[in-house]
Amino acid sequence: MHAFRKLVGTELKVTVRDAPVALVAVIFPAAIVAIFGAIAKPGESSDPLKYFYQPMSLAMGIGVLSFSLMATEMATYREKGILRRLATTPVNPSRLLGAQLVTNLIIACAAVIAVVLLGSLAFGFPWPGDALAFLVTIVLSLGALLGIGTFIAAVAPASRVATGIGVGFYFVNLVLGGIFVPKEQLPAALSNIGDYSPLGAMLAALRQAWAGHWPMPLHLIVLGVCAVLFGGLAIKLFRWE
């Protein structure tokens, strides 16, 4: 356990020193909330779309952290031979992947706190209406998105491959998940497909929780399945080189 804590501490220091990671994962979603807060003035509005902006910003920020930044960093380790050298030490794949997962989980939680506090205190966005539903959704969403990112990191042979897979998957989710355009304005077929995408399920469940309702079981199931499936595959298929 002591060795794992040291590994997490090292990974966290490396990640925090990488300014783009902090910028994209934490500042980017907070900036989106600030921009839409200044434009939409949610404190004075009864439009149900006021429950859209904070979930949307979290889906975008945590999505790019998981699918692109984390996956690319681990693939870079493999490309530079760092993982091959670690293979000669007692550090096993599950411990290394666990340290990466915990590190990015801390960053993702910082993004959640920043978005909720900034949006509600500074711009009048509503607080999550159902606290339990919000917490359950956040836990499942982080498990799903970081699980997928860990899977990409585990199997991508090079940083360019990881970036290509992650960015491609990210933008497909943005389109299908109702993030670029709210799902109410999407064609019915695309909206239905988006319910089965991780970012789409996350966004829909968070919107329900923010509005004070329990999310649809479908969205929670999608997130849970993604977390278990891709997390397990990441450990099973991990390659040192």
Side-chain angles (χ1 to χ4, degrees):
M1 183 59 71
H2 177 67
F4 180 71
R5 288 200 300 267
K6 289 186 66 175
L7 189 58
V8 170
T10 300
E11 289 293 329
L12 189 58
K13 288 178 183 177
V14 171
T15 303
V16 169
R17 286 173 185 168
D18 188 356
V21 172
L23 179 66
V24 172
V26 180
I27 299 177
F28 174 54
I32 293 176
V33 168
I35 291 170
F36 282 104
I39 295 173
K41 302 188 185 305
E44 306 171 7
S45 173
S46 59
D47 190 338
L49 274 180
K50 66 183 179 181
Y51 299 112
F52 170 76
Y53 300 113
Q54 286 168 293
M56 177 267 290
S57 69
L58 286 177
M60 292 185 71
I62 298 175
V64 75
L65 170 69
S66 303
F67 302 158
S68 181
L69 299 177
M70 181 176 71
T72 300
E73 181 180 12
M74 182 65 75
T76 300
Y77 285 179
R78 181 180 293 109
E79 196 172 22
K80 292 182 176 179
I82 296 174
L83 297 184
R84 185 173 61 251
R85 291 193 291 273
L86 283 175
T88 63
T89 72
V91 178
N92 58 46
S94 61
R95 188 172 293 181
L96 180 61
L97 290 176
Q100 273 282 319
L101 190 61
V102 170
T103 298
N104 286 278
L105 181 62
I106 292 171
I107 297 172
C109 287
V112 173
I113 293 171
V115 165
V116 172
L117 293 183
L118 178 67
S120 299
L121 296 179
F123 295 98
F125 280 107
W127 295 92
D130 189 322
L132 178 59
F134 174 76
L135 290 175
V136 169
T137 300
I138 285 294
V139 169
L140 290 175
S141 297
L142 292 178
L145 270 59
L146 292 174
I148 294 170
T150 305
F151 169 72
I152 297 172
V155 300
S159 58
R160 289 184 179 179
V161 176
T163 300
I165 295 172
V167 171
F169 187 71
Y170 178 64
F171 277 99
V172 168
N173 271 260
L174 292 183
V175 174
L176 296 179
I179 295 171
F180 277 154
V181 178
K183 66 177 301 179
E184 295 90 340
Q185 301 174 19
L186 288 174
L190 288 181
S191 179
N192 292 334
I193 293 173
D195 286 332
Y196 294 90
S197 68
L199 286 189
M202 175 185 179
L203 177 61
L206 280 178
R207 289 183 66 180
Q208 288 294 307
W210 237 293
H213 309 299
W214 191 260
M216 289 178 57
L218 170 64
H219 299 138
L220 299 182
I221 291 172
V222 168
L223 294 172
V225 168
C226 286
V228 174
L229 175 62
F230 287 100
L233 287 174
I235 295 175
K236 183 176 182 179
L237 301 177
F238 185 87
R239 298 177 301 171
W240 290 104
E241 55 182 326

